[in-house]
Amino acid sequence: MSAFEWIPSLFAADPLCFGDALKRVSADYASIHVDIMDGHFVPNISFGSAMVAAVKRIAPRLLIEVHLMVTNPENFIHPCIQAGAQRIFVHVEVPSAAETCKTLQASGIQWGLVINPETPLECLPKALLQESGNCLIMSVHPGFCGQSFIEATYQRVAAIHQAYPQLTLTVDGGINPEIAAKLANLGVAHCVAGSYCFKQ
Ligand code: DX5
Ligand code: ZN
């Protein structure tokens, strides 16, 4: 398991000032979270692989983590890796999740599965989870920043940590320092935060 880390989510930054926002977080954080949405898997649109390439150019020292909220993740894997993504998360709710995990595994980069707040934990495929070493637990409904943290996330995190103590757990959405402290106590290594990191 990795050391505790805040990972800022670029989606919460002012879209007309992404360059400045990146330069700012580059001094304070080691990684950046890039949300890719297709308007189909979630009711919103955000970035594509061109944004990953731009982040790489402007803030080359940040590790780029991509969160794919798309119905066809296969189409995004190679473009994102070529653009500089170093860790990619794919949703377990997507029909082609298992195939996409195989592609990610073959790519050699870090990868993991994401689970939505309403998805039963039993839907997480044990073998893939163990092979990846990572799991991202959504603590809001994906698609928008600025939502409230869903309290039931604490129990879900505790259950996953108990079942898979060796996994690096990430939680995404509605996180502030108070919530992050509780999550860290439950075994969470990475907290993704949009509003907290960019809207202060
Ligand atoms: C939501 C995204 C999150 C979001 C987090 O779909 O996956 O990464 O940007 O933003 P906050 O911290 O404002 O909930
Ligand atoms: Zn995200």
Side-chain angles (χ1 to χ4, degrees), residues 9 33-35 67 69 136 138 172 192:
S9 171
H33 181 90
V34 179
D35 288 307
H67 174 189
M69 282 162 275
L136 191 161
M138 287 308 297
D172 181 6
V192 175

Side-chain angles (χ1 to χ4, degrees), residues 52-68:
V52 176
V55 170
K56 187 80 202 159
R57 195 175 65 244
I58 302 225
R61 56 165 294 278
L62 290 176
L63 181 148
I64 303 176
E65 165 178 290
V66 170
H67 174 189
L68 290 176

Side-chain angles (χ1 to χ4, degrees), residues 7-26 29 32-35 37 44-47 51 55 62 144-146 192-200:
I7 305 186
S9 171
L10 186 62
F11 190 53
D14 178 345
L16 293 181
C17 305
F18 283 139
D20 290 343
L22 278 169
K23 282 178 193 153
R24 250 189 354 261
V25 292
S26 199
Y29 300 93
I32 184 88
H33 181 90
V34 179
D35 288 307
M37 307 177 185
N44 204 356
I45 296 267
S46 58
F47 314 130
M51 179 56 96
V55 170
L62 290 176
F144 300 89
C145 54
V192 175
S195 306
Y196 171 65
C197 293
F198 286 107
K199 296 227 187 325
Q200 306 199 59

